[in-house]
Amino acid sequence: MSFILEGPVLQGSHVRLEPLGRRHAADLAVAAEEDRGSYRFTWVPQESEVEQYIDTQLARAAAGKMAPYAQVERASGKAVGATAYWDPRLWPTGDGLCAIEVGFTWLAASAQGSGLNTESKYLLFRHAFENWGVARVDLKTDARNIRSRAAIEKAGARFEGVLRNWSRSWAPGEDGRLRDSAIFSITAAEWPACRSELERRIARGPGHHDGQGQGSSPHPDPVTLA
């Protein structure tokens, strides 16, 4: 049977990843407008664009290209951001998933540095490797986004190179231009060690993992985008 990309609810201690729906629109509209200072390289809808944003992601899901999620903070029950599985690649036989990308990720300013990003990545990676049996998970970001690149590496992904003029730029003033994308990956062989490290960081709490973007830097947890 051919693989159908459908993302189930994924629940951790602090975040619940729910398949994105229009019911999340009001929360996401608030989340996106808290403080947009960290969204320079990332596609994050403005309040007036949230419904269109959700419709766009749902259309991609209907085409089998994406499984979009709302990131729901369990403590408040509110959607505080989004993420997605993206660009599924099948084995040559057409049976089963060979690789998947994790991207289209953003969080409200108040949720950055809270540990939600680390736990969300952990849940997505674990499901991809242990339920779908993928050979690799990809992550990409604007090559200029140093904070995002650091966060991806801290999540256990290995830098593979820069794809030049790869995809649309979301930087202000660059409408219609292409960006260079830094690509990272985790392979199935690397996943056990990556899983152990992510579980250690989650257990230690946000003061010890993704809250500091770049080592001792005071910047909040950055967001990533496919």
Side-chain angles (χ1 to χ4, degrees):
M1 180 181 295
S2 296
F3 177 81
I4 299 175
L5 181 58
E6 293 179 344
V9 172
L10 301 173
Q11 183 154 288
S13 298
H14 306 290
V15 66
R16 182 172 62 254
L17 300 181
E18 299 179 355
L20 181 67
R22 294 179 180 87
R23 68 187 183 282
H24 298 116
D27 284 350
L28 292 180
V30 173
E33 293 297 334
E34 283 188 359
D35 180 351
R36 299 184 63 84
S38 65
Y39 300 151
R40 179 182 174 192
F41 297 108
T42 306
W43 179 36
V44 179
Q46 295 184 345
E47 181 178 3
S48 62
E49 301 168 334
V50 166
E51 291 189 4
Q52 181 181 358
Y53 167 86
I54 292 174
D55 287 344
T56 297
Q57 301 298 64
L58 293 180
R60 289 170 166 158
K65 298 178 180 179
M66 173 182 282
Y69 282 101
Q71 299 195 65
V72 177
E73 182 182 51
R74 291 193 62 188
S76 66
K78 295 185 179 297
V80 294
T83 190
Y85 287 121
W86 167 245
D87 190 23
R89 281 101 70 203
L90 303 182
W91 291 101
T93 60
D95 295 324
L97 190 65
C98 173
I100 193 76
E101 184 171 330
V102 169
F104 289 91
T105 301
W106 61 272
L107 281 170
S110 61
Q112 295 177 25
S114 67
L116 265 66
N117 183 51
T118 294
E119 191 170 52
S120 291
K121 292 293 192 297
Y122 169 75
L123 294 171
L124 291 164
F125 295 165
R126 186 179 67 181
H127 186 78
F129 284 114
E130 299 180 13
N131 292 83
W132 288 337
V134 300
R136 62 178 277 147
V137 169
D138 302 335
L139 301 99
K140 291 200 296 290
T141 190
D142 192 304
R144 299 166 294 181
N145 194 342
I146 303 302
R147 290 167 55 197
S148 182
R149 291 175 64 162
I152 292 172
E153 288 184 325
K154 288 182 71 175
R158 183 173 299 182
F159 175 63
E160 293 188 331
V162 173
L163 304 173
R164 297 178 300 166
N165 289 344
W166 181 253
S167 60
R168 174 179 176 177
S169 173
W170 298 102
E174 295 186 0
D175 290 349
R177 293 176 58 182
L178 296 174
R179 74 176 197 193
D180 294 347
S181 292
I183 186 166
F184 300 76
S185 72
I186 302 169
T187 66
E190 295 164 346
W191 169 239
C194 178
R195 173 175 177 158
S196 295
E197 176 61 17
L198 287 172
E199 289 175 346
R200 183 188 67 81
R201 289 172 58 197
I202 291 167
R204 291 180 66 188
H208 299 279
H209 50 81
D210 67 340
Q212 297 298 327
Q214 298 183 65
S216 61
S217 166
H219 295 305
D221 182 26
V223 290
T224 63
L225 172 68

